[in-house]
Every structure is written in structure tokens, then in C-alpha cells.
Amino acid sequence: MTSDGTQPDWQPTGPQPLTHHFQRLTHRARDLDRRRPLLWDLLVTASFVTAALIDYTSGGWRNVAENPTLPGWLITTLSLGLSVPLIGRRTHPFPILLTMLPFAVVNTWTGAFLQASMLLLVALFHVALRTRQRTLLWSYALTVLPFVVGGLRYPADQGFDQNVVPAAMSLALAALAGIAVRTRKEHLASLVERARQLEVERDQQLRLAAAAERARIAREMHDIIGHNLSVITGLADGGRYAAPKNPARATEALTAISSTSRQALGELRRLLDVLRDDPEDTTAPPQPADLTPQPTLTDLDHLITGVRSAGLPVHTAIHGTPALPPGRQLTVYRVIQEALTNTLKHAGPGATSQLLISYEDTGAVSLTITDTARTTPTPPSSANGGRGLPGMRERTALYGGTLEAGPLPHPRRGWRVHLHLPEETPQ
């Protein structure tokens, strides 16, 4: 980067043609190896065999041999014995190394010193790449042995050190190269596995979030539909009985039914807006949506008025001033709504309900809802897998509260719901 913020002309902006070509060839070779490993092994081994035989047929081996008069059949056998076994170097590296060692010992003992003996580096590399550390140590000691034999048998020209030390260093470098490649592969494999685990965890979190959202929507739908339909049913029954004698009362009931129905439809629309996915009109600007219906404690008067209109007298007593966050207000509202709805459904005719709410300065809140039924009411949500009480308990548990629901003690008849939300812990 130059001082004026521009890119220098010599800085490459992308892969160079030669590098790109090499990467493409490497990718193709690896792809061929994955699809047909035996074919790849045959091709590589054939190149080793060809090089070893060329060393024999060209007579180049005589330039470094201590005994250039060795018969041709022996040189051919040694060349093949040091190259052909490499076809199994990846599947059985240590047995392949043991197979090549006798030919390597004969090679140095007879004084042939064929260049094919350097293929022991390839065998040792694969041992380091695929076997345990102890096996590698034994393999290194065994591959040094043929060179020690050659140094002891023919020490006249260069001496023992000159024959053994370079070979030992070359073998050590081959082993280190195998360890380095193995370490890199294991590291890449661990990264791939980690990425796979992260994908699995992400999918699991998405499924859990979807399940939690479905449960939340089920609670909201239950609260909205169950409460409003119960109110509408009560109003409809009252209006039907009042119509022959008092048409005005019947008209009031129909008006209340209309108002309650519109309120329920509005809440359902706000809830279903969250689930709507309309990809048809992609050009229209996004419209602000009310993500969830969120009634607050200020809506309690409207709720209680609707219940009273449905024929259930509700007596309220409120102590303190509410100072709750929206989430806690929704929990209190839904518990009251569910309790009054259950009273409408199960308490029977002539029942009354009493609501007592106590707000504390610390943010805690307690409420008790009792009904005075003439008969013992049926426990709400006791059949058909209802979500009334479970939904109230789930909401309460979100804020560390307690919820008690059950019949009043004998001889009293009725049902009692008690909710307590403790002081909210600062985050």
C-alpha cells in the first residue's frame, strides 16, 4: 500500500496463472486419488520401478558401485525388490518396509549401492505418516541397518562415517516430513470435525428455538382463543335467555360479542403476522409489524369488564402500584386471564370470582384468584391435553416464580390459583 492509499503495481491482485494451474493439477490429482486409490498407487509405483530399471539398463549403477561386476539378474532382482513393494506403502507401510529391508541389506553387502535403495525414504515417510511412534522408532533403526552394513563392509573409500551419517540424516528428515504432514492432516481433520460439530450444534439450537417458539405461540393461541371464546359463549347464552323477555339486554350481549370478537381477531392477526412469509411481493417496502400481542396490566380493566359481561361477577382488590417490566406484566395478565377463563368454563352457574393483587416496592408481585362455585369445579386442563395450567407454570418458571392451583379446602367449594413472582434479580 503506497502513501496515497493506492495499491502498488507490483502487488498481485489474485492468483498468478502458474499458481492457479498448479493448484488445479493438484486438485485433480487428489480427486483421482480419492476416487481410484489403487490406480494412483499403481501409477506412482510404476514410476519408481521405471526409474530403478533405467538405472540398471543405462549402467549408471556401476559409477557408484563397489563391485561393478555383479550379474545382471542380481541387479534386476534388487531393483524390483526395492521398488515393487511400494504399491502397498499406504495400506501396510511397516510390512512393506520389512519386505524391502532384505533387498537393501543385500544391496549394500554385495557392493551394488543401487540408487533404488533410497526408496527406503519413501517407505519410512509412510511409516511416520500412518503408524505409532514406537513403530516409527523401530523402522528408523531398521532402515539405518543396511547403510551400517555397507559402511562396515566397504570402509576403504569414504570411511564408516561418510557412508552412514548422510544416510541416517536423510532418513531422519524423511521421518520428520512424515510427522509434519501427519500433524497437518490431523489438525485439518480436527478443524473439519469442529466445523461439523458447530453445524450440528447450530441445527440443534435452531430446532430448539423453533420448538420454543411453537410452544410460545401455542400458549398465546390458547390464551387468546380460549379466553375470548369462553366470554363469547357466556354472552351468547345470556343473550339467548334474555331475548324473549328483555330485548335490550340481548342487544347489549350481541354488542359485547361483537367487541370481544373484534378484539380476538386483532390479537390473532398480530400473532399470525409473525408467522406470515409472503415472498411474492419483493418490491414493496417492509411494513412495521407488531411482532407479538403483548397485553399489559393496564388492560386488566378491559379483561375483567369482558368477563363480567359474560356473567361472572369479579371482585378485585389491588394493593400497591405496579412497576413491572413488560415480560412480567404479560405473565401476570395471562395467569389472571387463564384463571378467569377456567372459572367461566368449569365453575358452573352462580359462581363468583375474587381477585387479589399485591405489588411490592421491590418488584415482587403476588396474586390470588378464587371462585365460589356451587359445585366442585372440574379441574382445568385435566383432559384432552389442555395447556392451561402447564402454560401458566411455564410462564411463571421463566421468572423464578411459583404457581399453586387447586380446589379450596373442604367444606368450601371452588378453585384457587396463587401466583408469586419474586423480586427481579439485576443482570
Side-chain angles (χ1 to χ4, degrees):
M1 187 69 68
T2 60
S3 58
D4 58 354
T6 60
Q7 188 177 24
D9 296 337
W10 53 265
Q11 184 174 355
T13 58
Q16 297 300 304
L18 181 60
T19 302
H20 180 72
H21 182 68
F22 178 76
Q23 291 176 350
R24 185 171 56 184
L25 291 178
T26 303
H27 177 73
R28 289 181 178 179
R30 290 178 178 176
D31 184 63
L32 175 63
D33 187 20
R34 284 192 297 268
R35 290 186 289 107
R36 297 180 179 180
L38 180 59
L39 176 60
W40 181 256
D41 288 338
L42 287 173
L43 291 175
V44 174
T45 304
S47 65
F48 291 149
V49 173
T50 302
L53 293 179
I54 289 177
D55 185 43
Y56 162 64
T57 56
S58 64
W61 65 278
R62 291 188 174 90
N63 297 328
V64 295
E66 291 291 339
N67 185 5
T69 62
L70 293 173
W73 65 267
L74 178 60
I75 303 302
T76 302
T77 302
L78 293 177
S79 298
L80 295 177
L82 291 171
S83 58
V84 173
L86 290 176
I87 193 172
R89 68 193 182 280
R90 295 196 294 181
T91 56
H92 303 87
F94 187 63
I96 294 302
L97 181 64
L98 294 179
T99 303
M100 297 171 62
L101 281 176
F103 296 96
V105 172
V106 173
N107 173 60
T108 55
W109 179 262
T110 58
F113 290 102
L114 298 177
Q115 297 297 318
S117 62
M118 301 308 296
L119 293 177
L120 289 173
L121 297 172
V122 178
L124 186 62
F125 171 84
H126 284 278
V127 170
L129 187 62
R130 292 178 171 83
T131 61
R132 298 176 302 174
Q133 181 179 1
R134 180 178 298 180
T135 304
L136 175 60
L137 294 177
W138 278 104
S139 300
Y140 178 77
L142 291 174
T143 50
V144 173
L145 178 62
F147 299 97
V148 173
V149 171
L152 293 175
R153 183 166 175 78
Y154 301 100
D157 293 340
Q158 296 179 346
F160 180 83
D161 293 341
Q162 296 296 323
N163 287 332
V164 177
V165 174
M169 293 181 62
S170 299
L171 292 170
L173 290 177
L176 291 175
I179 293 174
V181 174
R182 178 176 183 171
T183 302
R184 179 177 177 274
K185 285 186 174 182
E186 291 176 351
H187 178 64
L188 290 177
S190 66
L191 293 179
V192 171
E193 177 63 19
R194 178 59 178 165
R196 187 192 66 81
Q197 291 178 356
L198 290 176
E199 290 180 357
V200 172
E201 292 176 0
R202 181 199 61 191
D203 295 340
Q204 290 177 346
Q205 291 175 356
L206 290 176
R207 287 194 293 269
L208 291 174
E213 184 66 10
R214 286 194 296 269
R216 184 191 66 82
I217 293 174
R219 289 195 300 267
E220 297 292 345
M221 294 287 286
H222 173 273
D223 293 337
I224 295 170
I225 297 176
H227 168 73
N228 289 287
L229 287 182
S230 297
V231 172
I232 291 172
T233 301
L235 291 171
D237 290 339
R240 179 165 58 87
Y241 287 117
K245 298 180 181 180
N246 191 346
R249 293 286 296 176
T251 302
E252 292 177 0
L254 291 176
T255 302
I257 289 174
S258 176
S259 175
T260 304
S261 300
R262 287 190 178 91
Q263 178 186 358
L265 286 175
E267 292 184 353
L268 284 176
R269 287 193 186 99
R270 289 196 297 270
L271 179 63
L272 295 177
D273 280 343
V274 183
L275 305 178
R276 185 176 62 187
D277 184 10
D278 187 8
E280 296 179 359
D281 188 6
T282 57
T283 60
Q287 299 295 328
D290 187 2
L291 297 180
T292 55
Q294 296 282 341
T296 63
L297 294 177
T298 57
D299 300 313
L300 276 180
D301 292 339
H302 187 272
L303 171 67
I304 295 173
T305 300
V307 173
R308 288 170 178 165
S309 300
L312 175 64
V314 180
H315 306 285
T316 61
I318 300 176
H319 304 286
T321 302
L324 302 175
R328 290 188 163 221
Q329 291 189 39
L330 178 63
T331 299
V332 173
Y333 180 92
R334 291 305 189 195
V335 170
I336 296 173
Q337 183 186 53
E338 179 64 27
L340 294 178
T341 301
N342 287 334
T343 301
L344 280 173
K345 289 181 179 179
H346 306 289
T352 61
S353 182
Q354 183 176 4
L355 170 62
L356 174 62
I357 308 177
S358 176
Y359 301 105
E360 300 179 10
D361 295 337
T362 59
V365 59
S366 299
L367 68 89
T368 303
I369 307 171
T370 57
D371 61 64
T372 56
R374 293 183 179 180
T375 59
T376 301
T378 303
S381 303
S382 61
N384 301 326
R387 292 196 53 84
L389 287 177
M392 288 194 292
R393 290 195 173 96
E394 289 175 5
R395 292 181 183 276
T396 305
L398 290 176
Y399 298 98
T402 57
L403 179 73
E404 300 174 0
L408 294 173
H410 186 76
R412 300 175 61 188
R413 296 182 182 275
W415 195 267
R416 175 181 177 271
V417 175
H418 177 72
L419 167 71
H420 176 72
L421 297 181
E423 178 183 357
E424 187 174 13
T425 303
Q427 299 297 323

